Amino acid sequence: MAESNETGLPRAVMIAWGMEEAPQRGPSRGLSHERIVAAGIELADVEGLAAVTMQAVAKALGFTTMSLYRYVSSKDELLLLMQDAAFALPKRAVLPRGWRAALVAWAELVREAYRAHPWALGIPRGQTSVLMPNSVRAADLGMSALGDLEIDQESKVGVILVVSQLAASMVELEGSLATEGMVSTTPEGTGLLAEVITPERFPHIARLFTASSWAGAEQPLPEKPVIDGGTLEVDGEFGLGLSLLIEGLEARQRAAEGSGA
Amino acid sequence: MAESNETGLPRAVMIAWGMEEAPQRGPSRGLSHERIVAAGIELADVEGLAAVTMQAVAKALGFTTMSLYRYVSSKDELLLLMQDAAFALPKRAVLPRGWRAALVAWAELVREAYRAHPWALGIPRGQTSVLMPNSVRAADLGMSALGDLEIDQESKVGVILVVSQLAASMVELEGSLATEGMVSTTPEGTGLLAEVITPERFPHIARLFTASSWAGAEQPLPEKPVIDGGTLEVDGEFGLGLSLLIEGLEARQRAAEGSGA
DNA sequence: ACCTGAACACCGTTCAAGT
DNA sequence: ACCTGAACACCGTTCAAGT
């Protein structure tokens, strides 16, 4: 399905790594993979992923829709290229010493990358995503962050995967909380909800929905008590998740030291 | 945008909680919210989310496309209803005693729910998702799992959120690894990759891509060394993430006990 | 009241044709 | 070799009309 050549590699992978013979011959009017991907990213940044249609991308470049198909074999392929291009960590990023600080710094880099282009999270990450250049670069940097942590390689990859997914989840969440238009709960709405989310039926969480802190106000409806804006909230979740993972790793390391050396 | 009535609540929320005056009057030919949502879910289960078009859903029910709009005001609303309906935890689920075992059991329930309808992860979860019945039910059960864990309420919600996002991420990942058709790497493809993912450029991760374990074989391309099938792999990541979170919580609890009581 | 038919403004993608 | 024009088979959604 995603394959193309004799190589067995998805064409998006080959294009992204520059393995694709760039045609560049004859009266090229100046279209290219790079320009197409850049136009798509610009469009997604400004108007959202839904605005990225083949027609819109072509129009932004001043070409007809069909001209894109000489460079990109389908819209999905374009989206894959956009996804990877959007997920670029800063070049030559330097991480602090010590796995703990390094992991935190790496997690923050990953989160910032997602935040810069949150629509990229709406593009399904499949097998081919893993082979794309910026994905490989990020993974390599992540592994280097865990350099002096004494767990097996397999677990390191696991930690990196879990942390990057945590970052992705939280950015996606904070994005949807911000974008979707606050659910400005009117007294009527709050009343209706309170009738149905009762302490009897939901003893452990009902009070979070009926807390006076947000009733009637123009605040995001939380899964938890509101303290600040939605962003700070999720910021807290990200920090909590990351901290717990790190403390778990520390506990393991202590245990290993205790029994080992 | 997602609002509808005087209540300020998204219409999907009202429908899902049964607050919407079901028309049911006169010569109803038998269409209903429930039937429409069920048809959509069936379609998504069998043919994927992309196959869920208004036309296809209507056809499956033996009605015209436009008949759906009497019950659902847009496709997005239908998707929201499907998302929540798909995310039903078993009724009256009983969790084991003790927060640790309870949290593991809850996480497993959540993961199984996602696994039963993985396409639901492709529908953006926004603010309104949080207000949907099954989401509230799951959150309540999750909070009950952490009953005897001595951290503040806010952190409990955070833990639940992080764990459910972890489950979602891993199900999504294992889904895309399985569905997208294995990248059956030919020797040519492996060679090309090896030229570009070199130990010099990616010292910490290159060997994972060029490991002989998968070169040329019909195995999933991993972000980590292959041991078994893709599913078991991700199973491992899920377990690792969850274990680390729990161990982090234990460490915190110990610290609190040490200083506190 | 519930459902249908016809229509509208879009999609992604193809194919043959221009230069 | 690169790009265009015309066409196809779909989308979601509207509106006025039937029963």
Side-chain angles (χ1 to χ4, degrees), chain A residues 197-213:
Chain A
I197 307 182
T198 62
E200 293 79 40
R201 298 166 72 185
F202 304 105
H204 304 94
I205 210 166
R207 69 168 197 75
L208 298 186
F209 286 93
T210 52
S212 64
S213 52

Side-chain angles (χ1 to χ4, degrees), chain A residues 23-25 29 64 66 71:
Chain A
Q24 293 306 54
R25 187 66 57 89
R29 263 75 141 204
T64 54
M66 298 68 73
Y71 296 86

Side-chain angles (χ1 to χ4, degrees), chain A residues 252, chain B residues 89-90 93-113 115 138 141-149 159-160 162-164 166-167 235-236 238-250:
Chain A
R252 273 192 194 193
Chain B
L89 261 44
V94 186
L95 299 178
R97 294 194 159 278
W99 68 266
R100 197 193 149 110
L103 182 57
V104 170
W106 182 78
E108 201 55 53
L109 286 178
V110 170
R111 187 167 68 141
E112 288 307 326
R115 267 184 170 161
L141 190 62
M143 290 300 279
S144 85
L146 300 181
D148 57 352
L149 179 63
V159 169
I160 282 186
V162 168
V163 169
S164 72
L166 177 66
D235 229 60
F238 180 66
L240 175 66
L242 187 54
S243 302
L244 287 176
L245 288 171
I246 288 175
E247 285 162 40
L249 285 170
E250 283 174 338

